[in-house]
Amino acid sequence: MDAAALTLHDMTAADVDEVAAIESRVQSFPWTRKNFADGLAAGYRGWVVRRMGAMLGFALVMDAPDMAHLLVIGVRPDAQRQGVGERLLRRCIDHCRQAGLPALTLEVRPSNERAIAFYRRHGFAQVGLRRGYYPATQGREDAWIMTLALAADAA
């Protein structure tokens, strides 16, 4: 995919249906449309990537006083490994820098090896573990807490 053909926009309430549709395709236990709408209403920052008007992916971040939390990021299956996720993650990192936040943190399933490799390639390191954080088909699954420190990595 020609990365130049990708456009990045702030997520708005008008995007929520498409965002929820992508989320339901890429997650076993997806966020609902209401989760996304509530997040935007609460002031969380989100972005969407489009190509020729079609939404390919999204990310949603919650700011805290000491860091930002990447709550959810998703890319349509047919658009994965084409720079969409990287574009979204870079926007999240740029947002942290612009807001003066020294770190970006997230949770990821240990079973999601592709996502872990993606985050590691972008400088994230595992800093903790949340036991039983995610629902799973049988019981619960732990979450790795991964963080990207930005303080020494000024823009």
Side-chain angles (χ1 to χ4, degrees):
M1 175 183 295
D2 178 9
L6 299 176
T7 59
L8 184 112
H9 309 276
D10 287 347
M11 185 188 297
T12 68
D15 296 314
V16 169
D17 287 333
E18 288 177 278
V19 167
I22 292 171
E23 171 77 351
S24 70
R25 292 178 64 193
V26 299
Q27 295 295 334
S28 300
F29 298 90
W31 278 39
T32 65
R33 182 196 187 290
K34 184 174 180 347
N35 294 140
F36 288 106
D38 289 350
L40 289 176
Y44 300 167
R45 295 297 313 271
W47 300 275
V48 299
V49 168
R50 295 183 179 274
R51 185 182 81 212
M52 296 174 52
M55 186 181 295
L56 303 179
F58 64 87
L60 190 67
V61 171
M62 175 183 69
D63 290 353
D66 59 342
M67 69 175 54
H69 189 146
L70 177 56
L71 298 170
V72 60
I73 186 170
V75 176
R76 266 183 15 198
D78 62 334
Q80 292 177 2
R81 296 188 174 268
Q82 298 176 27
V84 176
E86 183 170 349
R87 183 94 178 254
L88 287 161
L89 187 59
R90 285 186 183 183
R91 181 63 188 100
C92 295
I93 293 166
D94 288 346
H95 166 74
C96 289
R97 289 186 173 127
Q98 291 165 0
L101 297 169
L104 178 61
T105 193
L106 57 89
E107 289 89 14
V108 62
R109 293 175 186 266
S111 62
N112 193 345
E113 295 174 2
R114 279 183 57 191
I116 290 168
F118 172 77
Y119 295 128
R120 283 186 171 150
R121 277 194 312 275
H122 291 88
F124 285 79
Q126 183 185 0
V127 298
L129 179 75
R130 295 192 200 282
R131 298 222 178 265
Y133 184 77
Y134 288 112
T137 52
Q138 294 186 352
R140 308 282 300 175
E141 183 176 358
D142 294 342
W144 282 10
I145 302 167
M146 298 186 80
T147 298
L148 173 66
L150 298 169
D153 185 10

